[in-house]
Structures are given as structure tokens and as C-alpha cells.
Amino acid sequence: MAWTEERVEQLKQLWGEGLSASQIASKMGGVTRNAVIGKVHRLGLAGRATPAAPKPRVVRHQTEETRIAPLYGLDQLCPGIDKPTISSIGGNQCKWPIGDPTTDDFHFCGQSAGHGKSYCAYHSQLAFQPSTGRRDDSQTRQRQLPKVKQVG
DNA sequence: CCCTGATTCGC
DNA sequence: GCGAATCAGG
């Protein structure tokens, strides 16, 4: 089962809706949750689950010891509103993450997202940028986690 | 033990 | 690029 643009779009849609990877895999069919997660990662999505604490990564077959830094580049601020928490955010509010999830500063955009939508108008264009349009990723969704040598 | 996503690595 | 295996948290 290949990832056609239609399937990718559906994937992004369902993922944005808040469905779990297994749920998406079940709905779409032909793919396992691993495939969904893998695709989500490659799309540059991901970033919601249970990564409360930054972990030294899954050390598996690594010849070098690396460690991730607690850096998060999500700062797509949109003009003023309150700071909804994960608990307080409503189903019709924009769920765009702002700030560092590991700090108290973390919150969601919270602007009116419309009925059944996941993001406000501002963030929708960031979340669902035209797949046929070469987006300038010079400043959008930069989430490069620099490797830091563990200086013993 | 069930679920969740995250990451790596072989293909 | 894709996804199974694996890891880690709830």
C-alpha cells in the first residue's frame, strides 16, 4: 500500500483530529500503526503522545553516544488570546502547540478553530500546507534536535 | 497486559 | 521512503 497524496492528506487530517495511530491505521486500512507513525514522522508531524521527559533516546545499535537536547522550536504565535492548557482546551479551539511541552509555559493557541476543526485559520495553513506547493521550510516547523556529544 | 507514540535500522 | 522491531511512558 503506497502513500498516495490522498492517503497522506487523510493521514494528516485524522492525525490532526487527534486520532491515535492505531485508530488511523484501522480507519485507513492496509497499514499498521507503525506505518502510520513512521509516515507521520517523515511528514514532519508528530509531537503529541507522552513524551513528558526528554529521554536519552533509544540506544540500540549506536556506535556513538548521543543525547537529545530539550529544544523545541515551535513558536508559531498568533495574536493574543489566553493560554489554554491541555485540559482546558475545548474541542473547537485551535490545538496548535506553543512553547516547550516540558515547561509550564506550554500551551495551545486556543483560538476559535471552527466546528470539528483542529486548528484556527492561522495555524491551519501551517498544518495543512499545500502538498503540491514547495513550502519554504526556512522557518516553519523547524524541529531539528541537535546532537550533543555526551561529554563524559 | 493493554494502550500510546518515538526512534532506529534494514530493506 | 517505507515499516517492523524495539523502546519507553501511561
Side-chain angles (χ1 to χ4, degrees):
Chain A
M1 189 67 73
W3 282 110
T4 64
E5 294 199 31
E6 298 179 24
R7 288 177 71 86
V8 170
E9 195 173 317
Q10 186 179 6
L11 170 62
K12 289 192 295 186
Q13 174 60 44
L14 295 174
W15 185 261
E17 293 287 334
L19 279 92
S20 64
S22 62
Q23 288 283 74
I24 296 174
S26 180
K27 278 182 115 52
M28 298 184 69
V31 286
T32 65
R33 75 177 195 94
N34 303 54
V36 170
I37 292 175
K39 185 57 181 176
V40 164
H41 272 245
R42 284 187 294 272
L43 283 172
L45 276 58
R48 66 179 240 291
T50 45
K55 51 174 183 269
R57 218 201 300 166
V58 173
V59 52
R60 208 174 151 51
H61 190 64
Q62 199 84 327
T63 53
E64 254 187 298
E65 184 119 2
T66 53
R67 193 169 283 266
I68 66 173
L71 292 179
Y72 291 85
L74 317 169
D75 288 289
Q76 309 299 336
L77 283 169
C78 56
I81 25 83
D82 294 326
K83 293 182 178 180
T85 62
I86 297 179
S87 312
S88 71
I89 191 167
N92 62 331
Q93 289 182 285
C94 178
K95 290 192 278 290
W96 190 271
I98 298 176
D100 189 332
T102 65
T103 69
D104 191 46
D105 187 51
F106 181 66
H107 56 280
F108 289 103
C109 166
Q111 281 200 120
S112 178
H115 187 225
K117 307 268 292 195
S118 296
Y119 304 111
C120 68
Y122 180 86
H123 287 132
S124 289
Q125 57 182 333
L126 294 178
F128 302 110
Q129 287 180 48
S131 52
T132 56
R134 299 99 302 267
R135 43 196 160 322
D136 180 10
D137 41 51
S138 57
Q139 62 176 18
T140 57
R141 298 208 305 281
Q142 287 282 61
R143 253 174 53 88
Q144 282 292 88
L145 300 180
K147 289 180 181 176
V148 179
K149 282 281 274 293
Q150 184 181 22
V151 289

